[in-house]
Amino acid sequence: MPSLSRLATLLLPLALLAIPAGAASLDGVAVDVINESEPVLCAEKDNVALSFASPQVRAFRIEAAHPVYLAPGMRDNWEADWTACDMSGDPAYAPVAPPGRFTLYEQPDMWLVGWRYGSFWRPATATVRIGDQVHEGLHLIQLWLLRTDGSEEVLVFYPQDGYWRARPLAPRPMRNTAYGSSFLVGPVEVEGRPIVNIKEVAFDPAARRFDLAFTRGGSASVSVVNADENRIALDVAFDAPIKDVPFAMLRSMYITEFNNDAARVAVREAGANAWREAPVMGFDRARATDIWIGRLAPSQHNKSSPDFVFNSFSDGPTPKRPKNEPPASAPVVQ
């Protein structure tokens, strides 16, 4: 029969699986959350915008977790909905080199793939570096991870406008879930729409870390610290706080309660003893340590796409450790 200390170690992974996604970090720095969303009819426009600002924050965590209603066999709809959409005024820039798909890095359990499109809404000035290799004009980077029944894409990044999308591994027997909301990391500026101007992104395969150099100066890292069938967790760290503009933004789509990628917001405000919840289009602003954006009911669009949590805000070089994570080592029971 195993000792109690050995039993605690064996049960630790099971305890992690049982923890609900999005538990509060409780002791993080409070940040200003401002809703800059606008009503639209076009489901292919990111009209939801929640900005995060603080002159103190140097690090924080982003988690994407499956919605509470997700179930195997659930019918999903990933098709674009161009109803009431007019994109004729969007700019289009030719690529700096022929379009194509490129394997940027490969190892047995992880791949990094780059894409160059036939056109993009912004000029392709950001470069992508992996070791000694420098790639020009890539519009999309995909991170793929190995699973026992194949591989799955869990993270994408658009270096020319700074947008990210993330999703956890699909729970078995599902093979894929949808992307939905996106986010920006770094000094958020508006050039037609909110963007982050990237000068260079470098990928460190051993650390599963993206290092960003911003055009206006300063840098950040985005590290994949966990990716499983419950959630994907990303730790973000800046070289210095971003003081004059938002340091991050959540972008999404909301048309109606039955057609959206995000419909609800919940915030744990500084000093509050309870969460405040609101419809995403009715939320105004908050000063909060924890922010959840997602859905409680299925939508006809991307119904399997994940909810998001922003928390663990820190004025130090690493995020606060979320309280839903166990200590670094389980206590020894005599």
Side-chain angles (χ1 to χ4, degrees):
M1 181 176 180
S3 66
L4 290 178
S5 59
R6 173 62 175 160
L7 186 60
T9 302
L10 291 172
L11 291 178
L12 189 56
L14 297 178
L16 282 172
L17 291 176
I19 294 168
S25 57
L26 296 179
D27 59 352
V29 173
V31 305
D32 292 318
V33 186
I34 299 176
N35 192 358
E36 302 179 30
S37 305
E38 58 179 357
V40 297
L41 292 175
C42 174
E44 296 305 313
K45 180 178 180 180
D46 283 343
N47 64 307
V48 172
L50 296 179
S51 65
F52 307 91
S54 168
Q56 299 173 276
V57 167
R58 286 188 57 197
F60 65 103
R61 174 166 289 190
I62 303 171
E63 289 188 1
H66 296 302
V68 294
Y69 53 76
L70 186 68
M74 185 180 70
R75 181 181 178 275
D76 207 349
N77 177 21
W78 300 352
E79 294 181 2
D81 178 4
W82 298 105
T83 305
C85 295
D86 180 7
M87 306 298 188
S88 60
D90 287 0
Y93 291 85
V96 297
R101 175 188 183 277
F102 313 92
T103 299
L104 307 180
Y105 179 84
E106 185 175 8
Q107 64 185 49
D109 62 345
M110 182 178 67
W111 302 264
L112 198 70
V113 175
W115 288 82
R116 189 182 296 121
Y117 297 148
S119 65
F120 196 69
W121 78 280
R122 283 178 55 78
T125 58
T127 59
V128 177
R129 179 169 52 84
I130 304 171
D132 295 332
Q133 296 185 359
V134 177
H135 304 270
E136 304 280 349
L138 295 179
H139 296 113
L140 174 65
I141 301 172
Q142 302 169 312
L143 179 67
W144 292 75
L145 297 180
L146 182 69
R147 47 186 287 172
T148 56
D149 54 352
S151 60
E152 189 171 353
E153 179 190 330
V154 298
L155 185 68
V156 297
F157 177 49
Y158 296 82
Q160 309 307 334
D161 59 13
Y163 278 77
W164 300 78
R165 282 191 171 94
R167 63 184 179 188
L169 293 170
R172 296 167 196 179
M174 299 179 70
R175 283 297 295 120
N176 286 287
T177 56
Y179 285 116
S181 302
S182 56
F183 56 90
L184 294 162
V185 169
V188 178
E189 303 170 286
V190 177
E191 295 183 11
R193 67 191 73 167
I195 63 162
V196 171
N197 275 304
I198 306 291
K199 180 180 180 181
E200 180 186 80
V201 53
F203 181 63
D204 182 339
R208 293 189 177 183
R209 187 184 72 236
F210 296 86
D211 294 316
L212 310 177
F214 304 122
T215 303
R216 59 177 267 167
S219 62
S221 64
V222 178
S223 303
V224 181
V225 295
N226 182 59
D228 57 30
E229 294 181 8
N230 291 320
R231 65 175 68 85
I232 180 171
L234 309 172
D235 278 358
V236 178
F238 299 116
D239 65 331
I242 297 172
K243 298 183 177 182
D244 55 339
V245 294
F247 64 81
M249 178 177 281
L250 186 284
R251 301 297 313 279
S252 194
M253 179 276 288
Y254 181 93
I255 305 300
T256 62
E257 192 70 28
F258 57 83
N259 187 11
N260 64 77
D261 285 342
R264 304 281 302 178
V265 179
V267 293
R268 184 181 181 276
E269 294 169 293
N273 58 6
W275 289 72
R276 174 161 67 94
E277 302 171 84
V280 68
M281 299 305 290
F283 176 76
D284 182 18
R285 62 176 60 210
R287 186 165 177 80
T289 58
D290 303 82
I291 303 96
W292 172 92
I293 308 101
R295 294 185 289 209
L296 301 179
S299 164
Q300 69 181 20
H301 184 261
N302 287 344
K303 64 169 56 73
S304 66
S305 62
D307 301 339
F308 278 84
V309 169
F310 291 73
N311 66 10
S312 304
F313 300 106
S314 170
D315 56 4
T318 59
K320 300 278 188 180
R321 184 181 63 81
K323 290 297 188 290
N324 64 335
E325 290 187 356
S329 60
V332 176
V333 180
Q334 301 295 336

